[in-house]
Amino acid sequence: MADEVKLPADSFEPLDKSKHLDSEKIAAPNLTFMQDAWRRLKKNKSAIIAMIILIIFFVLAFGSAFFSPHNPNAVNPQLANLPPKWPGVNINGLNGTLVQAGSRVNAYQAAGAGAGVHYWLGTDYLGRDMLSRILFGTRISLTVAIVATAVDLLIGVTFGLFSGWKGGWVDNFMQRVIEIIMSIPTLVVVVLLILILKPGMSSITLAIAFSSWTTMARLIRAQTLELKEQEYVLAAKTLGESSIKIAFKHLLPNLSSIIIIQTMFTIPSAIFFEAFLSFVGIGISAPQASLGTLLNDGQKNFQFLPYQMWYPAIVLSVIMIAFNIFADGLRDAFDPQTKG
């Protein structure tokens, strides 16, 4: 007969209240959806760097009245086409010198500029300060893009939400309208609107907004078709809540991540499109400056004075890249399953 195993007398006594099992501890704090998304976004270093770069550009652009060293539209022909000059820096390209007839000369002395005169990014063909014009031009480009995106957001979300919620023949009719609009080349629509409204900030903003809201509408419509079959929406309908209340209380909060992500992708597209229209001469008109008009002015002297085109091109490229990296980070933060 096998030996009996004797257990200690306290083997079946309940645990002390002061003793807590590790398995019963909460592994992580209870976070809301937005807090959890922010936690994931902070882990994405490239997205955070892009966000910081965008904040810096926004502060400099919309605070250009304080940061600009000169009046961006002040014409000074005798100081035209001066190269960049940084006080105390003796590096070619930043010391105010140019190569002429095989030798390097001080362009500021040749133009009769005073000893204390310097332009951080040089001047253009009319003697206007490039740094000030880039700051003001960035502000105009960002303003056009943000306002156009806001109009795009208002029309696209409303149209897509209504189409997806109603369904049936209403949805079919509204989708055919979107398909007709999308079948027309965007550039044709924009050019016609600008010709009717005359070139300027308002006309180019409306033109970009009118031609770009369809993508947002189709995304919102597709998600609304899925969300309206969820139990909490059906319960709200059963309780007699109005469609408007369901939209604001149940649908829009669950669509917020898609709206934010698509908005962050729409803004750089609007910036680039505005720059393109201004570059070809049908966008912002003189003497106002945008990144597109600065590129157009700079390419005329690119062979001899490349800095006039390089600087606005670098600003436009950095803004576009930063917006796209930040948008990718937001997409991964709001919906980690899409991360490939």
Side-chain angles (χ1 to χ4, degrees):
M1 186 174 181
D3 295 336
E4 294 181 358
V5 179
K6 293 184 178 180
L7 299 174
D10 60 347
S11 295
F12 299 100
E13 290 184 2
L15 288 173
D16 225 4
K17 288 184 178 180
S18 61
K19 296 179 180 179
H20 300 284
L21 295 176
D22 290 340
S23 60
E24 294 181 356
K25 290 182 179 179
I26 298 176
N30 188 18
L31 300 175
T32 64
F33 174 74
M34 296 301 294
Q35 289 173 334
D36 190 42
W38 172 244
R39 179 183 61 83
R40 285 195 294 266
L41 181 64
K42 287 191 294 185
K43 293 180 180 179
N44 191 332
K45 302 302 181 185
S46 59
I48 293 298
I49 293 173
M51 183 182 70
I52 294 172
I53 291 173
L54 290 175
I55 291 173
I56 293 173
F57 271 108
F58 270 86
V59 171
L60 291 176
F62 289 98
S64 54
F66 303 100
F67 298 114
S68 297
H70 302 278
N71 184 340
N73 296 324
V75 177
N76 202 349
Q78 66 269 24
L79 301 179
N81 295 326
L82 291 180
K85 181 180 179 181
W86 295 14
V89 177
N90 192 22
I91 301 174
N92 291 337
L94 300 176
N95 58 2
T97 61
L98 285 173
V99 176
Q100 293 181 353
S103 60
R104 186 167 291 275
V105 298
N106 190 322
Y108 284 75
Q109 288 182 359
V117 176
H118 64 274
Y119 294 94
W120 293 91
L121 299 183
T123 60
D124 65 3
Y125 68 102
L126 292 177
R128 297 172 294 191
D129 179 39
M130 285 292 297
L131 175 59
S132 301
R133 288 183 65 75
I134 287 174
L135 290 176
F136 274 85
T138 304
R139 183 180 71 178
I140 290 178
S141 294
L142 289 175
T143 301
V144 170
I146 291 173
V147 175
T149 303
V151 177
D152 166 29
L153 192 68
L154 179 63
I155 299 175
V157 172
T158 305
F159 195 97
L161 199 61
F162 187 81
S163 177
W165 180 256
K166 285 295 183 181
W169 70 268
V170 175
D171 180 39
N172 288 329
F173 174 76
M174 296 179 75
Q175 292 310 301
R176 299 298 82 75
V177 171
I178 288 180
E179 290 173 1
I180 292 172
I181 294 176
M182 293 183 70
S183 66
I184 304 173
T186 303
L187 187 58
V188 174
V189 176
V190 172
V191 171
L192 289 175
L193 285 174
I194 290 176
L195 289 175
I196 295 172
L197 301 175
K198 297 181 180 180
M201 282 187 63
S202 57
S203 60
I204 197 171
T205 300
L206 289 176
I208 294 174
F210 180 81
S211 60
S212 62
W213 62 270
T214 52
T215 303
M216 177 72 77
R218 300 191 80 168
L219 285 172
I220 296 300
R221 178 250 183 187
Q223 290 298 314
T224 302
L225 288 174
E226 180 180 345
L227 288 174
K228 74 177 186 178
E229 302 299 331
Q230 298 296 319
E231 289 81 358
Y232 56 88
V233 176
L234 297 175
K237 291 173 66 176
T238 304
L239 292 173
E241 290 189 0
S242 64
S243 298
I244 296 178
K245 187 174 181 180
I246 293 174
F248 281 95
K249 187 177 179 181
H250 299 291
L251 297 180
L252 282 179
N254 288 283
L255 293 169
S256 59
S257 61
I258 296 174
I259 293 172
I260 293 172
I261 294 168
Q262 182 60 27
T263 299
M264 296 307 298
F265 279 112
T266 303
I267 292 176
S269 299
I271 292 174
F272 181 80
F273 200 50
E274 182 279 326
F276 166 73
L277 294 175
S278 298
F279 181 79
V280 298
I282 57 175
I284 303 299
S285 56
Q288 289 181 315
S290 74
L291 294 176
T293 59
L294 292 173
L295 288 170
N296 187 24
D297 292 340
Q299 60 91 21
K300 298 173 183 176
N301 295 323
F302 181 73
Q303 185 176 357
F304 304 103
L305 302 167
Y307 68 89
Q308 293 184 1
M309 185 174 180
W310 276 120
Y311 291 133
I314 290 172
V315 171
L316 177 62
S317 300
V318 170
I319 291 176
M320 294 280 293
I321 293 170
F323 262 115
N324 281 285
I325 292 175
F326 185 50
D328 284 333
L330 286 177
R331 181 181 58 193
D332 295 339
F334 282 117
D335 191 4
Q337 294 181 355
T338 62
K339 186 175 182 180

